[in-house]
Amino acid sequence: MVGTRLTPDVLARRIAQGRGSGEADLVVKNVRLFDLVTGNLFVTDIAICGDTIVGTYGGYRGLREIDGRGRIAVPGFIDTHLHVESSLVTPREFDRCVTRHGVTTAICDPHEIANVLGPAALDYMLAGADRTVMDLRVQLSSCVPATHLETAGGRLGVQDLVARRDHPKVIGLAEFMNFPGVIHADPDCLAKLAAFSDRHIDGHAPLLLGADLNGYIAAGIRTDHETTTSDEALEKIQKGMTVLIREGSVSKDLHALAPLLTLATSPFLAFCTDDRNPLDIAEEGHLDFIIRSAIRLGVPPLAAYRSASMTAATAFGLRDRGLIAPGKRADIVLLDDLEACAVSDVIAGGVLVGPQAYAGREPVAPVGLDSMKARRVSAEDFRVPAPGSTAHVIGVIPGKIITEHLTMELPVAGGAMQPDLAQDAVKVAVVARHGVNDNIGRGFVHGFGLKRGAIASSVGHDSHNICVVGVDDSDMATAVNRLVAIRGGFVVVQGGRILAELALPIAGLMSDRPFEELIQPLKDLRAAASGLGVVLAEPFLQVAFLPLPVIPHLKISDRGLVDVDRFELIG
């Protein structure tokens, strides 16, 4: 990454304050610095000039001073891959929600909102990133639309990406999900990769190994967050990738990959959340949760904290952070307990995180308030004609976005296939909502445990059409129509009655409310879904991943069922 050129005056101030010949702008007194080189704790002050650390391993005087009270100081955490939209709040609220958990840098891919709004989404997210207390960096979305098998609302060509590549918040190119296009040298993929060949390019390569992985990495792709086994992760890091260990609200890979994270491998493994909703953040935490969970699984604390900061900074070319050391960005987390990752105070870019810091941010006008353009539907729209009794069924795997391709014998009535609760096979449909067409894809899904009613979401990766799972066709129609009425969100319906809902009017993906106000509606939604028999811990994000046709094996789009092994429609 290219840094900011400094003036002689700024350099002179930093040198003087670092040498102790003048008072530092800010001094954090009496901390125990956790040294990411040796793993030792050292009692010291930390001197800060502007947004930069200038002094450690000594005593300093400051114009302002913070009493560290013997707390442990570690570098600010870096979330290496996430979608702000999955937090269900705006960048402004994401900042308030997450920074207090020690996250001082977050690297986001806005492809969720970009699949709804196209180039306008990039401009909205870049404007938001310019006005956060944390350093919110942006990877420009590489695969919009994500697939030709579903209808998206937005499209990003290589020219749209190149036009924004020099924005100061941009690192490079976001997760290249179209790995078949890369390894088969699709011209559009090659054009995007070539345009960013001198910048960081994120990967997205589930289950990709061997010679195909070699070709994928040879295209200049340097990271991957879709790794789900230790063997897969080891091959990828041995071939030069940095594997981003993901622990989100649905995709949970930490338990599988934690045994690989040692002092020896920590330079090659970082952490990310990918998709984490505000209820999980409120109840468990964010990267702080991943760090303490890793340590509980036996990861050495030094390895965990290296991965959370130093490795992440190195992988993305952020040479100005990742350590508490002179010349590094003043991103500091004060902990009451190292192994529990008990965050006490956070300093981001030399600013103490808190209400005063947040109050100075300028708001960004919302976008996509008219993005819900689906037609009104009826129960008849969810009828599944029966050419026979054998049905392709999506098999949900809890904690994964990978699905199974099942076949089941289902009951038939009136020439239409019916749900079979004994086999936990219920209906699933995707309703196009971008105004491009009126497509509805229909199928069956196993693994929700749903016994009655319907649940629906306008968050449907990655094209973000409406996805609805239900036992009753009328309830499915009620759920879809309610989502259109509230401009997107989540809803639970039984017997034609709305049991719980959360409106997400910004592109049908994000709320315009403070993050604290989303907690109770999310609890109500979970409780209502559980009352219908749903057994999944995070049913709405699981619903949201059912239309994602980039990971094997069977998915559903607005055009029908997709066999992703062959990348073709089968129904």
Side-chain angles (χ1 to χ4, degrees):
M1 294 296 295
V2 177
T4 302
R5 183 173 295 176
L6 303 175
T7 66
D9 287 345
V10 170
L11 289 170
R13 289 182 62 240
R14 288 186 181 180
I15 293 168
Q17 293 185 24
R19 295 180 65 235
S21 58
E23 289 185 312
D25 294 341
L26 173 65
V27 175
V28 185
K29 304 285 290 184
N30 185 31
V31 298
R32 289 179 291 158
L33 174 60
F34 186 47
D35 176 19
L36 294 192
V37 177
T38 67
N40 293 324
L41 291 169
F42 294 93
V43 177
T44 183
D45 295 344
I46 302 172
I48 298 169
C49 177
D51 63 357
T52 301
I53 297 167
V54 294
T56 55
Y57 298 98
Y60 287 89
R61 295 174 293 111
L63 297 172
R64 292 178 54 238
E65 295 183 350
I66 295 173
D67 186 358
R69 305 194 309 275
R71 290 174 288 175
I72 299 168
V74 297
F77 311 144
I78 301 173
D79 193 328
T80 53
H81 173 75
L82 60 85
H83 307 284
V84 170
E85 305 96 308
S86 294
S87 70
L88 309 180
V89 292
T90 63
R92 178 182 179 87
E93 283 303 302
F94 177 79
D95 186 26
R96 280 203 320 116
C97 181
V98 167
T99 309
R100 61 185 184 154
H101 291 279
V103 181
T104 54
T105 303
I107 301 170
C108 78
D109 171 9
H111 79 215
E112 315 299 358
I113 191 170
N115 270 283
V116 179
L117 301 177
L122 297 183
D123 294 335
Y124 171 74
M125 296 300 287
L126 288 168
D130 267 335
R131 306 176 196 190
T132 51
V133 175
M134 70 159 57
D135 189 12
L136 182 60
R137 295 299 183 99
V138 177
Q139 293 279 74
L140 296 174
S141 306
S142 65
C143 298
V144 177
T147 172
H148 68 284
L149 298 170
E150 190 172 16
T151 306
R155 181 174 295 275
L156 294 176
V158 65
Q159 68 280 359
D160 299 308
L161 305 177
V162 170
R164 293 161 176 84
R165 58 167 278 157
D166 293 328
H167 189 286
K169 287 291 186 177
V170 168
I171 292 179
L173 199 60
E175 55 177 319
F176 222 101
M177 296 184 294
N178 188 3
F179 61 84
V182 174
I183 63 179
H184 294 295
D186 174 80
D188 182 63
C189 291
L190 296 184
K192 291 175 180 177
L193 290 168
F196 286 82
S197 57
D198 60 341
R199 305 290 285 272
H200 181 88
I201 303 175
D202 265 341
H204 175 119
L207 310 179
L208 193 65
L209 300 169
D212 284 345
L213 177 62
N214 292 342
Y216 188 74
I217 298 172
I221 297 167
R222 293 288 170 253
T223 56
D224 181 69
H225 64 278
E226 291 289 346
T227 303
T228 56
T229 69
S230 286
D231 288 344
E232 181 184 352
L234 183 58
E235 178 175 343
K236 286 175 176 176
I237 65 176
Q238 287 176 328
K239 290 181 174 179
M241 292 188 111
T242 300
V243 167
L244 315 178
I245 299 175
R246 172 178 57 187
E247 190 73 5
S249 288
V250 170
S251 301
K252 300 178 184 293
D253 304 317
L254 180 61
H255 279 68
L257 301 184
L260 186 63
L261 180 50
T262 65
L263 294 178
T265 61
S266 60
F268 312 101
L269 297 164
F271 294 132
C272 76
T273 57
D274 200 359
D275 302 285
R276 194 159 179 82
N277 74 40
L279 180 53
D280 287 342
I281 296 170
E283 293 179 341
E284 298 176 335
H286 201 258
L287 282 192
D288 54 335
F289 169 74
I290 298 179
I291 293 166
R292 61 176 160 267
S293 297
I295 293 171
R296 287 172 185 161
L297 291 170
V299 174
L302 178 56
Y305 283 97
R306 277 179 179 171
S307 292
S309 53
M310 188 169 67
T311 302
T314 301
F316 285 84
L318 299 172
R319 297 192 301 259
D320 63 342
R321 67 200 71 188
L323 283 172
I324 296 178
K328 299 295 187 181
R329 179 179 154 93
D331 293 337
I332 302 166
V333 181
L334 298 180
L335 304 173
D336 292 329
D337 184 282
L338 186 70
E339 294 193 0
C341 194
V343 176
S344 176
D345 275 313
V346 180
I347 296 171
V351 176
L352 182 64
V353 171
Q356 186 173 355
Y358 296 131
R361 304 168 306 159
E362 294 183 10
V364 178
V367 294
L369 298 178
D370 61 347
S371 68
M372 296 298 296
K373 301 173 182 175
R375 66 173 174 85
R376 186 171 181 83
V377 297
S378 66
E380 183 65 21
D381 287 309
F382 300 104
R383 184 178 185 273
V384 180
S389 61
T390 302
H392 297 281
V393 179
I394 300 170
V396 169
I397 303 174
K400 303 291 182 184
I401 56 177
I402 295 173
T403 60
E404 295 178 302
H405 184 169
L406 308 175
T407 56
M408 293 182 180
E409 295 298 314
L410 297 182
V412 175
M417 284 187 170
Q418 304 298 317
D420 186 347
L421 300 187
Q423 297 187 79
D424 187 18
V426 298
K427 285 188 177 181
V428 57
V430 171
V431 179
R433 62 107 158 173
H434 299 298
V436 178
N437 55 46
D438 291 332
N439 289 350
I440 300 178
R442 306 163 187 86
F444 290 87
V445 63
H446 166 82
F448 275 82
L450 191 69
K451 301 299 183 186
R452 63 194 73 84
I455 64 174
S457 168
S458 62
V459 179
H461 300 280
D462 280 311
S463 297
H464 296 291
N465 292 301
I466 297 170
C467 190
V468 56
V469 173
V471 174
D472 181 86
D473 292 351
S474 294
D475 283 345
M476 293 173 74
T478 298
V480 170
N481 291 332
R482 182 58 181 168
L483 284 183
V484 175
I486 63 175
R487 299 192 292 185
F490 306 133
V491 65
V492 178
V493 173
Q494 181 185 0
R497 186 167 64 91
I498 309 298
L499 302 184
E501 67 182 24
L502 173 63
L504 302 174
I506 299 177
L509 302 175
M510 296 182 285
S511 173
D512 55 359
R513 295 156 61 184
F515 76 87
E516 296 94 339
E517 295 183 15
L518 274 59
I519 304 304
Q520 191 57 51
L522 286 169
K523 289 181 178 180
D524 293 342
L525 283 161
R526 282 187 183 178
S530 178
L532 300 185
V534 173
V535 296
L536 297 171
E538 185 41 75
F540 294 95
L541 280 182
Q542 198 81 60
V543 167
F545 281 112
L546 289 177
L548 182 66
V550 292
I551 296 178
H553 300 281
L554 188 66
K555 300 291 175 181
I556 187 167
S557 78
D558 66 309
R559 301 182 188 184
L561 287 170
V562 179
D563 184 340
V564 186
D565 286 335
R566 295 191 296 271
F567 283 86
E568 62 183 24
L569 291 164
I570 61 172

